[in-house]
Amino acid sequence: MKKRAFVFVLGGCLWWAIGCFVGLQAQQNVQFTQYMLNTLSYNPGFAGLSNGLCASALYRQQWGNIYDGTGEDKTRVSPWNILVLADAPVKVLKGALSMEIMSDNIGYFSDITFKFGYAYHLQTSFGKIGLGVQGAFLNKKAKYSNFKPETSGDPVLDGKGDESAFFGDVSVGAYLQGSRDYFVGVSVSRIIPQHNEDLGYRIQCPLVTVNGGYNFGFPSLPKVQFTATGFLQTDFKAVDWSLSALATFNRLFWTGLSFRMDAVSVLAGVNISKFRIGLAYDIATTRLIKASAMGGSLEVFVKYCFSLDADKVNTEYKNARYL
């Protein structure tokens, strides 16, 4: 019954999204280069599938240091993000609980998001499925008083103070951890329409995210595991996509490349005891590469997991997709 209800809700959201082509504004969620490591941030169905209590943090500095103004009056306006995730399986609930805190900052605008979710686990002959639902609380702020207009008396900014507002949202997701080295997920967020003229914020259409991948190896390289992954996110007015390839060596460290519309990225990571540490550097392929002091974006990811079952040892990971 739970599975049927969830599929009905997810199908209804997808049907609504497909029919949602008209709108005034296209606003995408934050897209991380290491999307294959922080699946929980965009698919609540992934909660608990790592088979342990996991906590992770990610920091992203996008396009280096870009400033507004000059001299002592300049302000850094390049985007930066902090993401904190936690999830754990709960046997009595036949699934898992999850939480997320994210700070998203760009220019004089900042968002703080809190999410709490539950995922129901279903074991099948072709793999383990997580069906998740998540509630979100978003606080958006705009510091209009910090804007530096080129001419005084700008009619748009004149007399306008700082603005702040709270919003609520719901997201759903399904994730399959296949028994034959493949994995695939689909989720829908921004289900509740939002509108606030003071903040210039308008959401009319849901955001659909699809990710997946496959693990494979070669007999001649027994200690190397390869993982190909893909990511697509759309509100049917704009599309973000990424394609990545990773190689994990002797279960200890991994490296790889990722490609998307505006950047080419280099990824690397290492397993140290129960810690997983990942780094990614994006080389911008747009004009922003000239404006950035770094020439791109830097992303740091750290995750810690331990088993909740005292009779079992900590899980060893063959490749980065389980991190």
Side-chain angles (χ1 to χ4, degrees):
M1 184 62 68
K2 292 181 180 180
K3 178 185 175 184
R4 290 181 180 177
F6 183 88
V7 172
F8 177 79
V9 173
L10 181 60
C13 293
L14 288 172
W15 183 255
W16 173 34
I18 292 172
C20 190
F21 288 96
V22 180
L24 297 178
Q25 202 170 8
Q27 295 179 322
Q28 298 295 81
N29 280 5
V30 178
Q31 183 179 349
F32 296 106
T33 300
Q34 299 176 94
Y35 63 88
M36 70 293 293
L37 304 184
N38 63 303
T39 308
L40 182 61
S41 67
Y42 55 86
N43 192 328
F46 185 76
L49 293 183
S50 296
N51 297 320
L53 174 59
C54 295
S56 59
L58 186 148
Y59 172 78
R60 178 176 176 81
Q61 173 62 63
Q62 196 165 339
W63 307 328
N65 294 324
I66 299 178
Y67 294 92
D68 179 29
T70 58
E72 296 181 357
D73 194 37
K74 69 180 182 180
T75 304
R76 190 179 75 173
V77 294
S78 50
W80 60 276
N81 311 93
I82 296 176
L83 174 69
V84 177
L85 300 166
D87 67 300
V90 181
K91 290 184 179 180
V92 69
L93 297 178
K94 299 183 179 180
L97 297 176
S98 65
M99 62 82 64
E100 172 185 335
I101 302 174
M102 185 174 72
S103 175
D104 179 21
N105 306 271
I106 177 170
Y108 303 112
F109 298 88
S110 61
D111 299 349
I112 297 179
T113 305
F114 298 89
K115 295 182 181 180
F116 303 92
Y118 165 75
Y120 175 72
H121 291 170
L122 181 66
Q123 187 66 53
T124 69
S125 59
F126 49 85
K128 194 171 186 178
I129 299 176
L131 304 175
V133 61
Q134 203 170 52
F137 303 92
L138 168 64
N139 177 222
K140 293 186 70 70
K141 294 182 179 179
K143 296 182 179 180
Y144 291 112
S145 59
N146 290 354
F147 274 68
K148 302 175 178 64
E150 293 185 1
T151 58
S152 59
D154 189 310
V156 177
L157 299 175
D158 191 27
K160 195 167 187 177
D162 297 345
E163 299 287 348
S164 177
F166 285 90
F167 303 91
D169 192 19
V170 176
S171 60
V172 294
Y175 189 91
L176 169 62
Q177 191 167 281
S179 56
R180 293 183 177 271
D181 288 328
Y182 66 90
F183 50 98
V184 63
V186 59
S187 63
V188 182
S189 59
R190 300 192 332 198
I191 293 175
I192 301 176
Q194 312 285 355
H195 181 71
N196 187 295
E197 288 291 347
D198 293 331
L199 291 169
Y201 182 62
R202 182 166 185 170
I203 297 297
Q204 288 184 308
C205 298
L207 187 70
V208 178
T209 304
V210 180
N211 75 297
Y214 182 71
N215 300 312
F216 61 96
F218 299 98
S220 58
L221 299 170
K223 294 186 177 182
V224 182
Q225 188 84 12
F226 297 94
T227 305
T229 63
F231 176 96
L232 186 145
Q233 192 173 74
T234 181
D235 60 0
F236 297 90
K237 294 187 292 291
V239 177
D240 286 332
W241 59 266
S242 293
L243 295 174
S244 306
L246 300 177
T248 303
F249 301 89
N250 203 30
R251 301 184 180 183
L252 294 177
F253 63 93
W254 67 91
T255 186
L257 294 174
S258 183
F259 304 89
R260 66 170 184 259
M261 291 183 292
D262 61 349
V264 176
S265 308
V266 180
L267 297 87
V270 62
N271 298 326
I272 303 176
S273 184
K274 297 178 182 180
F275 286 93
R276 323 296 180 200
I277 302 172
L279 298 173
Y281 180 74
D282 302 346
I283 303 171
T285 56
T286 64
R287 293 181 180 180
L288 284 169
I289 192 172
K290 297 180 180 180
S292 169
M294 293 168 38
S297 305
L298 179 66
E299 200 173 278
V300 181
F301 176 86
V302 179
K303 187 170 186 176
Y304 177 82
C305 289
F306 65 91
S307 174
L308 295 176
D309 191 339
D311 297 329
K312 295 182 179 180
V313 297
N314 185 53
T315 304
E316 291 188 1
Y317 301 97
K318 292 183 177 181
N319 51 69
R321 81 176 173 96
Y322 290 111
L323 301 182

